[in-house]
Amino acid sequence: MPFIIAIDGPAASGKGTIARALAAHFGFHHLDTGLLYRATGAKGGDPVLAAQTLNADDLARPDLRSAQAGQAASRVATIPEVRAALVDFQRRFAMQEPGAVLDGRDIGTVICPDAAVKLYVTASDQIRAARRAAELGADAGMMLAELQERDRRDSERATAPLKPADDAVVLDTSDLTIAEAIARAIAQVDRAGG
């Protein structure tokens, strides 16, 4: 059985950075599941068809890290048929040997509820907005409003809302350096026998 690490949390919390570092450290496969939703939203047209026909080229688009793609992802993620189309893809990915790290918003609660390690990575709204603004060269005040709107939509959706799994370890990165956050995550995986 592959070793699965599920990492959930809101945008700009550090979950992607931590997920990539864990995958590299342990030699596991990594999937940023948000890219699936970003690519689906960015394709345009019928979102269900877009989700069903995703391919590698769609996931390599250079515009998937934009704020617009993030908002589009949040909108299509509220559609149950889109989520269903992408769930199988994610679960198949998670079953790769020797293990996989998946980061997103419902990995520990829906996609891989039996994951060996579940982390919920978070940070204050202001810290997340400042991080995303620096990353995108955008206004921090505008980013704060966009992140809060996205958090609200992701947390209130009927299907697979953003929330920590009951058995997830919450990792608040607000006052941590990247190295400190990664070290804490590695320690959690080591404790679980990764």
Side-chain angles (χ1 to χ4, degrees):
M1 178 77 178
F3 193 94
I4 301 171
I5 301 171
I7 302 180
D8 294 307
S13 59
K15 68 182 180 293
T17 298
I18 291 169
R20 286 187 297 277
L22 288 177
H25 181 84
F26 291 102
F28 292 168
H29 303 277
H30 171 248
L31 179 62
D32 173 354
T33 64
L35 279 183
L36 302 176
Y37 292 93
R38 286 171 176 266
T40 298
K43 278 180 84 165
D46 174 22
V48 176
L49 181 61
Q52 293 169 337
T53 59
L54 272 186
N55 61 49
D57 290 340
D58 296 323
L59 297 178
R61 288 176 56 146
D63 63 341
L64 294 184
R65 293 286 176 203
S66 70
Q68 294 85 354
Q71 291 294 330
S74 183
R75 285 190 293 275
V76 300
T78 64
I79 303 169
E81 295 83 2
V82 167
R83 298 195 74 79
L86 298 177
V87 164
D88 288 340
F89 180 99
Q90 294 170 77
R91 287 183 175 156
R92 281 193 310 274
F93 185 94
M95 295 311 294
Q96 295 181 88
E97 293 287 353
V101 182
L102 287 79
D103 69 90
R105 285 174 170 63
D106 64 350
I107 308 304
T109 55
V110 175
I111 304 301
C112 300
D114 296 325
V117 174
K118 297 178 195 173
L119 296 175
Y120 187 85
V121 180
T122 191
S124 74
D125 290 357
Q126 290 73 19
I127 294 287
R128 294 188 304 115
R131 288 174 182 168
R132 187 51 53 90
E135 177 186 339
L136 299 175
D139 175 71
M142 183 184 75
M143 288 310 313
L144 178 61
E146 285 184 15
L147 286 176
Q148 288 174 332
E149 168 60 22
R150 187 170 172 198
D151 291 348
R152 184 197 59 73
R153 190 167 47 236
D154 291 349
S155 298
E156 293 176 0
R157 65 184 178 222
T159 304
L162 169 65
K163 66 177 185 176
D166 291 339
D167 55 347
V169 173
V170 176
L171 178 57
D172 189 325
T173 65
S174 298
D175 299 318
L176 300 178
T177 66
I178 293 171
E180 289 169 337
I182 291 169
R184 289 190 187 184
I186 288 171
Q188 284 297 327
V189 176
D190 284 342
R191 278 195 280 278

